[in-house]
Amino acid sequence: MSTNRRDFLKTGATAALGLSGFTLISPSVLGKSMGYVAPSDKVNLACVGIGNRGNEIIKALDKTGLCNIVALCDVDMGAPQTVEVMNMFPKAKKYQDFRKMFAEIGKEFDAVSIATPDFSHFPVTMMAMAEGKHVYVEKPMARTFQEVDLMMAAAKKYPKLATQMGNQGHSEGNYFQFKTWKDAGIIKDVTAITAHMNSRRRWHGWDTNISKFPSPEPVPSTLDWDVWLSQAQPHGFHKDFHNGQWRCWYDFGMGALGDWGAHIIDTAHEFLDLGLPSEINPVKLSGHNMFFFPTSTTLEFKFPARGAMPPLTITWYDGMDNIPAVPDGYGVSELDPNIPPPSNGQIQPARLNPGKIIYSKDLTFKGGSHGSTLSIIPPDKAKEWESKLPEVPQSPSNHFANFLKACKGEEKTRSPFEIAGPLSQVFCLGVMAQQMGVKLEFDRETRQITNNPLANQVLAGMPPRKGWEEFYRV
């Protein structure tokens, strides 16, 4: 239902009450108090990317009871991973090309969820905002620094549109705890963060001596490969580019850093006001090549002093043979049961599950990923602080409900583009350092790489494929 119609109904109800002289409780208000939202008061939602992670997002959005799924769009509407969602919402209109969906039924939905591969978040998001649609997009926002800039610019141009990046920990315990502890002065003077994700990835075991992309294979009959490529440079279809395998390749994905970084360093990045790094140093790149991600990576991100906060270094570790050292008294690494397993295999039963160690002047904290909360270490120090810790407020809504309520003007999103954009650009810079294998010095004022002219050119990414240039205009 359009906003105009929703406003008309509200205005009409108010006028009816004024004329009648009676105090009435409308069915919609009564229903909301009992946990029911009338279909006419829900957000009409179009979903682009409905298989794999898209499947999970659509179910989570639907479970809130705050939206009507009115359109489903995927480049492969005949694949096993898309059939389940299509069967769940048989009345939803179905498309393989998001551009055609907007052209034909753009007036029938208010918002869009986007769960396509990392590189193709960008064109769908840009078209959605230009068409006046609220946007929920998976993390990271985009594959290149420039594309994230354009998405943030579009969000500023259309301030009435709700935007939300899908790092759901921003609506769970860690978000509210970190903010509360920072405001209370418990988390202060942080100088170093260790961030780690050491489980098996899809590209582990591949030939790191690769010298070219794999040879093209026949395109499945149900797949629109041209739309899948969207603005990316031309590639022939190969099964290792599709169905989650895209995350392995620099041309399409953002590797372990883009996948898990938003779930591990997001709250520290926001509440410690980190912004963009001044230096990105690839300390370790095992199995480095120019095509797919290393089998193990250690990256240093150096952030300068911010106001009264000291300089800070985040050190990122991934790879099964690249587990960082932990401080004395670390204990056991707990695992949040809400965290999904990695894309290939179960999370390893190792000493360290995905998470972080935060070092400040006086205290050390350990934490997991997503919504996992922090704890003070070692245990005796935690015991000393137990009675001094402030009460942490509960989340008023999960990440999906927060977005849909923001579409209706009832809440503000907790991971809008103005917050999620700089975080995504940290990952863009990190991935550049991984692929090029060089230290990058970044000027935060001019937003340029100053020590490597080639890297500074790469900062903007490759020109879009012919026919997709329109999405690069705000």
Side-chain angles (χ1 to χ4, degrees):
M1 182 176 62
S2 69
T3 303
N4 289 341
R5 184 181 167 208
R6 194 176 287 123
D7 291 343
F8 171 78
L9 290 176
K10 291 178 180 177
T11 304
T14 303
L17 286 173
L19 290 172
S20 66
F22 293 98
T23 301
L24 301 175
I25 301 177
S26 72
S28 62
V29 172
L30 184 61
K32 286 181 182 179
S33 69
M34 300 172 66
Y36 170 77
V37 181
S40 59
D41 200 34
K42 295 181 180 183
V43 176
N44 286 339
L45 184 67
C47 305
V48 182
I50 70 171
N52 302 315
R53 177 60 182 156
N55 176 303
E56 297 169 350
I57 289 173
I58 294 167
K59 290 176 181 176
L61 288 161
D62 180 60
K63 189 178 179 180
T64 66
L66 299 173
C67 65
N68 303 308
I69 308 296
V70 300
L72 300 172
C73 180
D74 197 284
V75 294
D76 194 342
M77 296 297 271
Q81 69 268 15
T82 61
V83 170
E84 180 188 8
V85 169
M86 287 192 286
N87 289 338
M88 285 181 63
F89 305 99
K91 294 182 180 179
K93 296 181 179 179
K94 299 169 180 62
Y95 292 88
Q96 277 193 287
D97 189 329
F98 70 91
R99 296 168 298 182
K100 185 176 180 181
M101 179 185 74
F102 278 102
E104 292 188 0
I105 61 165
K107 294 182 179 180
E108 297 180 19
F109 55 90
D110 311 306
V112 182
S113 71
I114 302 165
T116 61
D118 291 351
F119 77 97
S120 55
H121 292 171
F122 172 76
V124 189
T125 297
M126 293 298 285
M127 175 165 270
M129 287 193 286
E131 295 288 329
K133 311 302 179 187
H134 308 286
V135 176
Y136 183 104
V137 63
E138 261 298 277
K139 47 75 197 164
M141 276 172 54
R143 195 188 66 85
T144 73
F145 193 94
Q146 179 205 32
E147 288 171 345
V148 178
D149 262 350
L150 291 170
M151 292 163 80
M152 289 192 289
K156 287 183 179 179
K157 182 177 180 180
Y158 306 110
K160 293 183 179 180
L161 297 180
T163 59
Q164 181 96 302
M165 187 176 81
N167 49 339
Q168 59 266 37
H170 263 245
S171 293
E172 297 174 8
N174 177 243
Y175 177 89
F176 296 94
Q177 181 204 39
F178 203 112
K179 184 179 188 304
T180 301
W181 284 15
K182 167 66 167 54
D183 291 345
I186 296 165
I187 299 176
K188 65 177 182 179
D189 297 328
V190 176
T191 56
I193 298 175
T194 297
H196 47 86
M197 197 288 166
N198 304 107
S199 294
R200 183 173 178 81
R201 309 302 291 162
R202 290 172 180 264
W203 57 91
H204 288 174
W206 286 11
D207 180 10
T208 56
N209 295 316
I210 186 172
S211 59
K212 63 178 182 178
F213 286 104
S215 299
E217 298 175 340
V219 180
S221 60
T222 56
L223 174 64
D224 189 328
W225 183 244
D226 185 72
V227 176
W228 187 93
L229 281 173
S230 59
Q231 84 278 20
Q233 296 304 301
H235 285 276
F237 170 81
H238 191 278
K239 63 180 181 300
D240 277 338
F241 294 155
H242 194 35
N243 279 343
Q245 298 294 91
W246 49 263
R247 180 163 280 130
C248 310
W249 306 91
Y250 289 112
D251 278 19
F252 303 130
M254 297 283 282
L257 176 64
D259 188 16
W260 282 80
H263 294 313
I264 295 173
I265 68 172
D266 55 347
T267 47
H269 183 270
E270 178 178 354
F271 296 122
L272 298 181
D273 192 26
L274 292 180
L276 297 174
S278 56
E279 183 179 309
I280 308 94
N281 186 22
V283 177
K284 177 179 181 177
L285 299 173
S286 299
H288 176 265
N289 65 86
M290 293 298 290
F291 297 89
F292 63 83
F293 286 87
T295 54
S296 298
T297 295
T298 304
L299 286 173
E300 286 182 346
F301 296 91
K302 295 187 177 181
F303 298 86
R306 291 101 43 230
M309 291 184 281
L312 185 154
T313 298
I314 294 178
T315 307
W316 168 267
Y317 295 83
D318 68 49
M320 298 180 70
D321 61 348
N322 195 31
I323 298 174
V326 299
D328 292 338
Y330 181 87
V332 178
S333 176
E334 299 296 335
L335 182 62
D336 187 329
N338 296 315
I339 299 174
S343 55
N344 186 358
Q346 296 295 313
I347 290 176
Q348 63 187 29
R351 181 172 59 167
L352 284 185
N353 286 304
K356 52 193 166 280
I357 307 165
I358 301 173
Y359 298 89
S360 72
K361 180 181 177 181
D362 299 317
L363 294 172
T364 303
F365 310 86
K366 72 171 182 179
S369 69
H370 294 66
S372 302
T373 52
L374 299 173
S375 57
I376 297 170
I377 55 174
D380 58 342
K381 182 64 73 170
K383 188 70 174 177
E384 175 188 330
W385 277 82
E386 191 174 20
S387 62
K388 307 175 188 177
L389 300 177
E391 183 177 353
V392 176
Q394 295 294 309
S395 176
S397 54
N398 70 25
H399 212 49
F400 306 99
N402 175 230
F403 169 68
L404 294 169
K405 288 184 176 183
C407 294
K408 299 168 66 176
E410 297 173 3
E411 292 186 2
K412 291 184 178 180
T413 53
R414 288 184 278 274
S415 189
F417 287 179
E418 65 192 79
I419 290 172
L423 175 65
S424 295
Q425 289 180 319
V426 171
F427 306 144
C428 293
L429 292 168
V431 167
M432 282 183 60
Q434 281 181 295
Q435 185 174 24
M436 301 186 75
V438 297
K439 180 175 76 171
L440 304 177
E441 295 176 0
F442 186 80
D443 188 316
R444 287 160 46 108
E445 296 299 322
T446 64
R447 298 167 67 80
Q448 299 286 303
I449 293 170
T450 58
N451 69 322
N452 190 310
L454 175 60
N456 197 49
Q457 291 181 353
V458 174
L459 193 64
M462 293 288 288
R465 193 163 61 107
K466 186 177 180 181
W468 293 81
E469 299 90 348
E470 65 179 289
F471 300 101
Y472 289 78
R473 293 189 289 268
V474 178

